[in-house]
Amino acid sequence: PLVGSLFYNNAENIEKNTIRFDKVLYDNVALIYDLRTDNLITRHPRHLSNLIVIEDFVDYFTIGKDTFVNLSEKEAGLKSGYYLQIFNSYSYKSFAKLSKAIVDPKSTTEKRTVDDKIQYFYKTPASPYFQPYNTIKKLTGLEKQHKKVVSELIRASGLQYEKDLKTKTQIVLNYL
């Protein structure tokens, strides 16, 4: 048995999602995102079988309230694939690459588990490519003249300093 799920959001909210496929927007689509294989899966409309969506034709898709964008290595300077959109404005962008891996047990009494991994990236007007970050300090220092105000905004939000990096990223980049 496996402890944990290989799918985004444990494969909940799979109905009523959207996908922009081959420049056409489709609503109310059943979607599952397999984070181990980086495959987007949908159900065949007339059959009870699952299909892997061809990544090259996907611009973006939503699962629940979250949007995933298909970024190309040439365009973003990142490994091609689906990225969770954290923040998107004309000036600043932030995405997260989510992945999962199966961890085999070290003994016969342990169970196989799922290891979650998140890599965060940001892009500013000054950089042509996305840069990695793993702490909010990297973002609060982007524009030194705003560092104090941005730090106060994070404190006022009630979030612990190094936890919930997604929400803090949205707070910081929205201010900048």
Side-chain angles (χ1 to χ4, degrees):
L2 182 65
V3 177
S5 171
L6 298 172
F7 304 108
Y8 179 72
N9 206 19
N10 298 324
E12 294 178 13
N13 299 321
I14 66 167
E15 304 295 330
K16 298 185 179 180
N17 298 301
T18 60
I19 183 171
R20 184 161 180 222
F21 184 83
D22 200 18
K23 297 183 176 46
V24 177
L25 185 64
Y26 297 91
D27 291 319
N28 299 316
V29 180
L31 295 173
I32 300 172
Y33 180 25
D34 184 333
L35 293 170
R36 183 175 64 93
T37 61
D38 200 30
N39 284 325
L40 183 61
I41 302 165
T42 189
R43 290 219 166 103
H44 190 284
R46 290 184 216 112
H47 304 290
L48 295 176
S49 60
N50 291 334
L51 302 170
I52 295 174
V53 180
I54 300 170
E55 183 178 334
D56 293 344
F57 292 100
V58 176
D59 295 318
Y60 67 87
F61 63 92
T62 63
I63 294 181
K65 295 180 180 178
D66 294 321
T67 300
F68 289 84
V69 178
N70 187 4
L71 297 177
S72 70
E73 185 173 349
K74 186 175 111 178
E75 165 194 19
L78 301 171
K79 180 182 173 194
S80 294
Y82 302 122
Y83 288 79
L84 175 63
Q85 182 174 285
I86 306 293
F87 187 84
N88 189 20
S89 73
Y90 179 76
S91 299
Y92 295 97
K93 298 180 184 328
S94 177
F95 293 96
K97 182 64 176 165
L98 311 178
S99 61
K100 293 189 179 194
I102 296 173
V103 179
D104 289 321
K106 295 179 181 163
S107 72
T108 56
T109 58
E110 295 178 349
K111 295 182 179 182
R112 295 173 81 198
T113 58
V114 175
D115 181 42
D116 296 343
K117 185 176 179 184
I118 303 175
Q119 297 172 289
Y120 290 93
F121 301 92
Y122 72 92
K123 183 177 174 188
T124 68
S127 66
Y129 295 112
F130 284 88
Q131 304 297 317
Y133 71 99
N134 56 10
T135 67
I136 202 64
K137 287 181 183 180
K138 182 97 171 181
L139 295 181
T140 57
L142 283 176
E143 294 191 21
K144 305 246 186 264
Q145 71 270 25
H146 298 296
K147 186 174 183 174
K148 185 176 179 180
V149 173
V150 167
S151 296
E152 288 172 6
L153 283 172
I154 292 171
R155 262 191 304 280
S157 71
L159 299 170
Q160 292 181 4
Y161 199 73
E162 289 306 327
K163 295 199 175 181
D164 199 359
L165 195 52
K166 178 182 173 184
T167 304
K168 289 182 197 167
T169 297
Q170 292 167 338
I171 291 169
V172 170
L173 295 181
N174 190 48
Y175 178 80
L176 296 178

